[in-house]
Amino acid sequence: FAAELASQLERNDAIELDLAAVADADVSFLQLVCAARRQAEHDGKTLRLAHPVHAELTALLLIVQYTVFHESA
């Protein structure tokens, strides 16, 4: 997952992560998503989370200071 995420960020100006199937995550997953977001911002790119994201995952991301963006439907 990490290698594919890095590759997508390198090749695209904007990517959207579909985390709909992720209901629970460990610290390494949260760190990876947050680091990818910071790198995207540093590079002037956009990393968004596809909607819907499980409430449990949203809460964990908010705890680690990840601002969740959703595309308007």
Side-chain angles (χ1 to χ4, degrees):
F1 179 74
E4 179 62 23
L5 183 55
S7 175
Q8 290 294 324
L9 281 172
E10 187 175 306
R11 293 183 302 191
N12 299 288
D13 289 332
I15 64 169
E16 184 173 85
L17 290 179
D18 182 355
L19 302 178
V22 179
D24 193 22
D26 64 9
V27 172
S28 63
F29 179 83
L30 296 172
Q31 288 174 328
L32 176 64
V33 172
C34 291
R37 177 180 167 254
R38 282 191 303 273
Q39 186 64 47
E41 287 179 350
H42 179 266
D43 295 343
K45 299 182 178 194
T46 303
L47 174 66
R48 296 186 187 272
L49 299 182
H51 186 75
V53 175
H54 285 278
E56 294 86 358
L57 181 57
T58 299
L60 289 171
L61 290 168
L62 289 172
I63 288 169
V64 295
Q65 302 300 312
Y66 188 98
T67 304
V68 180
F69 292 98
H70 296 288
E71 291 287 332
S72 308

